Amino acid sequence: MVLSLNYTDKIAFFFGNTPHGNCHSTLALIRNDINTLSQGGENYLAFPRAMCLMVALDLLGKMMEGSDSIGKVGDRFKNFVRFALNPTIHGNKIGDRIWAFRNALHHSYRMHTDWTPDGSGGHTASWQFQLIDAKAVSWLTRDESSSTIINLARLHDESEAGFQRFQTLLASSSNVTQRQGFESMFTKHGWMAVGTLNVVSP
């Protein structure tokens, strides 16, 4: 099955929440999951919500880079985070920080990491991420004596603002390479068919 849309309609479909028949935007599905998980209030299902948000950032990294080549996942992710989360506000290491958080979250539920804010990390490092979900807190990250705290509520809000800026960038872009890259990644990762599975007996 191929979802045939022009460039403008692909952007609207990918960033929107309106199915095309039984085809749904992958970004919309992830966003819907995050919002559903958020309905229990602060700190409710924070880990799976954060994991879904990291998946969304991974996906948007592919769409911005126009590539899903193996070996460049980290670069794509960090570049999109730097686009979405203003380094002027959050520091030049925000891409590295959220990338390290993403890896600790997915690969070590205790969120131990070799990354450290001062760059002295290594296999002997003893640093952890902590996850909070506090809308009343104005900061996104904070470093303590041996841990970095990530505020999920702020991370979610600022990521969403970054998604919207990326949509605007794509819609107004005259860069042929960027447009072609988005369309290529849209074909591979931008949508999926959702419906009843027809199981055929052998």
Side-chain angles (χ1 to χ4, degrees):
M1 178 191 300
V2 176
L3 185 59
S4 298
L5 300 170
N6 64 35
Y7 177 74
T8 300
D9 289 342
K10 285 175 183 175
I11 293 171
F13 174 83
F14 181 68
F15 288 94
N17 197 18
T18 303
H20 189 86
N22 69 332
C23 297
H24 294 248
S25 158
T26 48
L27 181 61
L29 292 172
I30 295 168
R31 280 170 148 171
N32 289 341
D33 284 349
I34 295 169
N35 290 333
T36 298
L37 292 169
S38 300
Q39 291 175 7
E42 289 187 357
N43 294 313
Y44 180 74
L45 296 174
F47 270 53
R49 286 165 54 202
M51 287 177 171
C52 285
L53 183 55
M54 295 302 104
V55 171
L57 292 170
D58 268 320
L59 174 61
L60 271 293
K62 292 185 184 77
M63 307 308 275
M64 175 172 266
E65 181 72 18
S67 170
D68 60 353
S69 60
I70 296 173
K72 294 193 175 181
V73 179
D75 290 338
R76 289 193 302 265
F77 184 97
K78 287 184 276 188
N79 286 338
F80 185 79
V81 168
R82 283 189 288 265
F83 172 85
L85 307 178
N86 191 338
T88 304
I89 298 172
H90 301 298
N92 292 329
K93 293 182 180 178
I94 190 62
D96 297 298
R97 183 180 302 256
I98 301 302
W99 171 247
F101 170 66
R102 175 255 198 206
N103 291 337
L105 181 68
H106 285 295
H107 301 299
S108 173
Y109 211 59
R110 183 172 173 267
M111 292 197 288
H112 171 81
T113 178
D114 291 335
W115 178 88
T116 56
D118 64 2
S120 63
H123 292 293
T124 60
S126 180
W127 199 268
Q128 274 183 274
F129 285 98
Q130 296 180 37
L131 182 61
I132 67 167
D133 179 32
K135 289 185 178 294
V137 173
S138 61
W139 48 264
L140 192 154
T141 71
R142 174 176 289 176
D143 296 324
E144 300 287 350
S145 59
S146 60
S147 65
T148 293
I149 304 172
I150 303 289
N151 183 3
L152 176 58
R154 182 81 182 272
L155 178 59
H156 184 195
D157 287 346
E158 294 199 27
S159 295
E160 281 288 340
F163 299 168
Q164 292 172 16
R165 286 196 302 277
F166 183 42
Q167 180 179 3
T168 300
L169 175 67
L170 288 172
S172 61
S173 177
S174 59
N175 185 313
V176 174
T177 301
Q178 185 175 60
R179 290 166 65 105
Q180 290 176 340
F182 172 78
E183 292 201 88
S184 174
M185 291 300 98
F186 177 86
T187 299
K188 294 180 73 174
H189 304 291
W191 63 277
M192 62 184 295
V194 178
T196 304
L197 178 65
N198 294 318
V199 179
V200 179
S201 300

